[in-house]
Amino acid sequence: MRSSRITRIAAAAAVAAVAGTTQCVPPANAVAPPPIDNSRLPAAAPAAPVHRTVQREVCAVPELDPAVSPTQFDGLDLEAVWALSRGAGQRVAVIDTGVAPHRRLPGLVGGGDYVFTGDGTQDCDGHGTLVAGIIAAATDHAADRFSGVAPLATVIGIRQSSTRFAAVGDAAGVGDVDTLAKAVRMAADLGASVINISAVACRPVGSGLDDRALGAALAYAVETKNTVVVAAAGNTDDGCDADGPMIVTPAWYDDYVLTVGSVDAHGAPSAFTRAGPWVDVAAPGEGVLSLSTVGDAMANSVGGAAVHGTSFAAPVVSGLAALIRSRFPGWTPRQVTDRITATAHHPPGGRDDVVGAGVIDPLAAVSSGVARHAPDRRGADPAARPAPPPPPHPEPVTAPAGLRTALTGTGILLALLLAVLTGRAAAARRRAPAAPAPD
């Protein structure tokens, strides 16, 4: 694997069963990324593969296994959250293996393809569609109880990597930190309010990994384009083994990325979640149910293995970021990420390298009121930060078209009746005899 190759978390090997894995906690040495070099920012350009590519494997088919009980949203109280925000008006870019069209993603937009010849709405791996469904799948109470975290958000699908394709003459998959940098710039330029990256590139310190273009793109997205960037922390079974400190990108660009670890349905850290000083919060990444790439189907397994991974914890937080941005449209990216970390259920000591500031609390994050502050691992005093702007009112509930028409018609009739009665009263006064003058 080349040093800059992106590892697509849970796209293939990482969807294997969790049993038998152990939590690998590398030394939490604070390895700083290189300074942001804006000259490295990728130029604005149409999305296209760097080299001519071919499909090497048949497409994966995520499927629904009735024996697997999906529980990833249990305990998040999303019904209460949706009374305040459902993500309306937000555009969430999914930089992944593409996002396949699905009736539960009615607003899907193609954002570009760095793998083959599509527009970002093709998904041969199934990974990106699973991620997108967690973020924004529409509710269908007639079919099931599943819904994405922000069901009114729009998804921008950008295909940046694939294990099923390869450059001509190369047996490996497609996707590296350079194409990821280009995809981040593309997503920001397309107006994404949130970007989800469920992938990592991780190498031992001193390996020569050059991701300065990615750092510049992340800074551009956050500081210039006002975009929240959420990324997965990585899995211990993703091929990034090392005895010493490691570079984990994009996570180590901690000033610009909200990095997410995984917990189970009970809030316990997942056995596979990769620890590090850049982990900010944790979200459910086990017992995953989402959308399949086939027809209108749902999926919770690939190749007979249950879907799990920090890949699927990150989009839970991306959906939450969309809810917050919809409810608090004036907030900056850092105010949004501070809110998410401040309202999380903190572990003993306030934070740790496995779950960061703790497991997210969507209702607390979206509700009005003063958020408690999470510990700041960069040493700054969170209380010294500017207070967020006052919360707006909840998203208005729009009356159905028929009801609006009926109410409008009733108002018109009442106005006409009042005008008729007023006119008759005035005419009667004109016909009445004048009162006699006093003596």
Side-chain angles (χ1 to χ4, degrees):
M1 183 169 64
R2 295 198 298 267
S3 63
S4 60
R5 180 75 69 191
I6 285 291
T7 298
R8 180 58 56 187
I9 307 166
V15 295
V18 177
T21 63
T22 57
Q23 189 172 18
C24 173
V25 182
N29 303 61
V31 183
I36 298 300
D37 182 354
N38 290 326
S39 69
R40 299 275 180 166
L41 178 66
V50 176
H51 306 287
R52 189 165 64 90
T53 58
V54 293
Q55 185 173 342
R56 297 289 191 194
E57 299 180 28
V58 297
C59 294
V61 180
E63 53 200 11
L64 185 63
D65 182 355
V68 178
S69 177
T71 58
Q72 90 257 38
F73 292 158
D74 288 359
L76 294 186
D77 202 10
L78 290 179
E79 291 288 346
V81 175
W82 292 333
L84 301 172
S85 175
R86 296 172 67 87
Q90 303 308 298
R91 292 164 62 86
V92 183
V94 175
I95 300 176
D96 213 284
T97 61
V99 179
H102 196 288
R103 69 178 180 86
R104 305 283 282 269
L105 294 173
L108 175 62
V109 176
D113 194 337
Y114 296 90
V115 171
F116 199 50
T117 59
D119 66 351
T121 59
Q122 298 79 23
D123 184 7
C124 190
D125 300 72
H127 189 273
T129 306
L130 290 165
V131 168
I134 293 170
I135 295 171
T139 306
D140 185 353
H141 291 299
D144 50 52
R145 295 176 55 247
F146 178 76
S147 174
V149 176
L152 294 186
T154 295
V155 170
I156 303 172
I158 298 178
R159 182 157 65 167
Q160 180 267 328
S161 64
S162 175
T163 61
R164 310 283 162 164
F165 287 79
V168 174
D170 189 350
V174 177
D176 57 27
V177 293
D178 291 328
T179 55
L180 180 56
K182 294 176 181 179
V184 169
R185 161 122 205 203
M186 175 65 75
D189 286 344
L190 289 173
S193 54
V194 181
I195 294 174
N196 185 92
I197 305 173
S198 287
V200 300
C202 46
R203 307 297 292 172
V205 171
S207 65
L209 172 65
D210 186 353
D211 65 348
R212 286 175 292 176
L214 178 57
L218 294 169
Y220 172 79
V222 174
E223 295 183 336
T224 302
K225 291 298 185 177
N226 192 37
T227 306
V228 174
V229 181
V230 179
N235 302 339
T236 57
D237 54 357
D238 58 15
C240 295
D241 299 322
D243 295 329
M246 287 195 307
I247 296 168
V248 178
T249 190
W252 74 331
Y253 285 100
D254 202 39
D255 285 342
Y256 307 103
V257 177
L258 186 69
T259 299
V260 185
S262 174
V263 294
D264 64 17
H266 306 290
S270 299
F272 53 78
T273 194
R274 184 174 290 283
W278 36 70
V279 176
D280 293 296
V281 290
E286 300 184 40
V288 172
L289 174 68
S290 191
L291 306 182
S292 173
T293 53
V294 180
D296 293 338
M298 307 297 293
N300 58 12
S301 66
V302 180
V307 174
H308 74 265
T310 58
S311 266
F312 309 114
V316 177
V317 178
S318 291
L320 175 56
L323 295 177
I324 295 172
R325 301 217 83 173
S326 180
R327 181 157 163 75
F328 306 104
W331 283 16
T332 67
R334 287 188 174 85
Q335 285 176 311
V336 173
T337 57
D338 282 353
R339 180 70 170 220
I340 292 172
T341 55
T343 55
H345 299 286
H346 305 328
R351 79 163 307 279
D352 61 40
D353 286 350
V354 180
V355 297
V359 182
I360 61 166
D361 185 335
L363 184 56
V366 175
S367 297
S368 59
V370 179
R372 61 185 186 274
H373 290 289
D376 192 325
R377 59 199 171 284
R378 292 182 290 274
D381 179 8
R385 295 174 183 167
H393 296 295
E395 292 179 19
V397 178
T398 304
L403 179 59
R404 290 198 304 270
T405 302
L407 291 176
T408 302
T410 301
I412 293 172
L413 290 175
L414 289 175
L416 290 173
L417 179 60
L418 181 60
V420 169
L421 293 176
T422 301
R424 289 180 177 177
R429 286 195 299 272
R430 287 194 298 270
R431 291 194 298 269
D439 290 338

